[in-house]
Amino acid sequence: MSIKRKSAVRAGLGLLAGVVLGAGLLSNFAGSAPVPGEDANRYPNRPVKIVVPVSAGGSADKLARTVAQKLGEKWHQSVVVENQPGASSAIGNAAVAHARGDGYTLLLGGDALSLNALQPGKQSYDPLRDLQGVTKAVVNPQLLVVRPGLGVKTFQEFVALVKQRPGEISMALPGGTGSLQHLAVELLNERIGAKTNQIPYPGGGPATLDVLGGHVDAMLITLAAATENVRNGKLVALAVTTPYRSKALPDVPTIQESGLPDYVVESWQGFAAPASTPRAIVDRINRDVVAVLREPETAALLENLGFTIAATAPEAVDQTVREDIATYRKVIASADVQLK
């Protein structure tokens, strides 16, 4: 997919400013027949798989593995994390959407579910029809980081450098083309009036490796995926995209504080199941995942990484994704952004 920016981009992308970009997963829809013979009281009685639609090493992977370990202890069953990256998360998302709805294949999804729905060529599954939400687990800021050798320490210095060298400063997109990071960077470029050189990646892990290695100058990434590298000085954190600072990195200012008063981007990650999964099993999984997320030890671990615990009911995320799909559609149309 490529994004062609036209003269209307400034006005259209302005609609995105001040809107918290988040999403949720969609509930079971009419026509999705439940799987017979699955008893929620006996669930799970065999191993459970959690599909992560991005590469290992990123924030989604860390979240999935943390929850998987705790669920395995609670359920006395193996809970296996399987990374299926590619096509801006569409490959892994589709794999779960087309899986048997018995509760033994789950998705650790995020913003890509709603974004995929608006992108031609990524519609081998329909999130409105083929998936249902289990819980929105966490919300989190995106974090703008640079390699130390770039020589900038603040957001204002980064903006000045991009304006001085338009099109030269490379920016990794951990979620790939068409991801939340992509739209957020397009918005940032529009707001500062200069263009970065965007490089798509299949996940936060490989994107981070290239920034750490000095092959890419900067990156917009989920804060939880970069916290450790910021603390040990391997990456320089410039700003977070939310209107609030993160407790994990309290000294890092917001982009709003740094000169773009209406810039807001917040992402989310959570769990989904095939739409045909019986509601009793979805409720059982929701209850246990929420309990795990709210355990003081788990919550402290995730919050220290930079996550904010959400731990919602399935219905709460369903309404959010509907609203976000509508929001993204309006922004793309208003800005005359063409998805190919």
Side-chain angles (χ1 to χ4, degrees):
M1 184 206 78
S2 62
I3 293 184
K4 181 179 180 182
R5 297 164 57 85
K6 297 186 178 179
S7 60
V9 165
R10 180 173 296 276
L13 282 177
L15 294 177
L16 190 55
V19 175
V20 174
L21 295 182
L25 303 171
L26 296 188
S27 60
N28 203 350
F29 278 71
S32 296
V35 176
E38 297 295 340
D39 183 355
N41 293 324
R42 297 178 60 246
Y43 176 90
N45 54 29
R46 52 191 171 88
V48 176
K49 178 172 68 177
I50 299 175
V51 174
V52 178
V54 294
S55 298
S59 62
D61 190 62
K62 292 178 181 178
L63 174 62
R65 293 180 189 278
T66 299
V67 173
Q69 178 183 347
K70 295 293 185 178
L71 284 177
E73 296 170 0
K74 180 180 287 289
W75 288 342
H76 304 290
Q77 287 287 346
S78 297
V79 181
V80 180
V81 173
E82 181 178 297
N83 298 88
Q84 295 190 28
S88 299
S89 297
I91 292 175
N93 292 346
V96 178
H98 300 317
R100 178 180 172 86
D102 54 12
Y104 292 92
T105 302
L106 305 175
L107 174 70
L108 191 283
D111 311 279
L113 281 168
S114 53
L115 289 165
N116 284 173
L118 301 173
Q119 297 177 43
K122 293 183 178 175
Q123 297 181 22
S124 63
Y125 75 101
D126 182 348
L128 296 168
R129 180 191 65 224
D130 300 328
L131 291 167
Q132 61 174 311
V134 173
T135 183
K136 184 192 292 184
V138 297
V139 294
N140 30 236
Q142 296 294 307
L143 177 67
L144 177 61
V145 297
V146 298
R147 59 182 178 85
L150 191 62
V152 300
K153 301 294 184 182
T154 67
F155 177 77
Q156 293 88 344
E157 291 175 351
F158 176 77
V159 171
L161 184 63
V162 173
K163 289 182 176 180
Q164 180 184 347
R165 298 166 54 188
E168 295 182 22
I169 304 302
S170 53
M171 176 82 77
L173 303 177
T177 303
S179 64
L180 181 69
Q181 290 98 350
H182 191 178
L183 292 183
V185 170
E186 288 288 354
L187 174 62
L188 183 63
N189 288 340
E190 187 272 336
R191 295 301 302 278
I192 68 176
K195 184 74 174 175
T196 54
N197 176 23
Q198 300 169 36
I199 303 174
Y201 284 84
T208 299
L209 286 176
D210 273 4
V211 180
L212 291 174
H215 307 298
V216 180
D217 296 318
M219 172 173 58
L220 195 68
I221 189 170
T222 300
L223 184 141
T227 305
E228 182 178 348
N229 285 314
V230 170
R231 288 173 177 162
N232 63 26
K234 294 181 179 179
L235 293 174
V236 178
L238 303 184
V240 295
T241 61
T242 45
Y244 54 85
R245 294 192 182 197
S246 169
K247 293 180 181 179
L249 297 172
D251 294 331
V252 178
T254 69
I255 288 181
Q256 289 189 346
E257 292 177 288
S258 304
L260 299 182
D262 295 326
Y263 188 98
V264 179
V265 176
E266 184 180 70
S267 61
W268 71 276
Q269 292 165 351
F271 293 87
S276 58
T277 307
R279 180 55 192 248
I281 290 180
V282 170
D283 287 342
R284 168 68 191 274
I285 300 169
N286 173 273
R287 183 189 71 195
D288 291 342
V289 172
V290 166
V292 163
L293 291 169
R294 291 178 177 169
E295 289 176 2
E297 180 182 350
T298 306
L301 172 64
L302 294 174
E303 288 170 354
N304 186 57
L305 288 173
F307 292 114
T308 298
I309 304 298
T312 69
E315 292 81 4
V317 294
D318 298 344
Q319 181 177 354
T320 305
V321 74
R322 292 188 184 97
E323 293 172 352
D324 284 342
I325 287 177
T327 297
Y328 295 142
R329 183 177 288 116
K330 288 178 181 178
V331 169
I332 291 168
S334 310
D336 201 14
V337 173
Q338 296 185 4
L339 305 181
K340 295 182 179 180

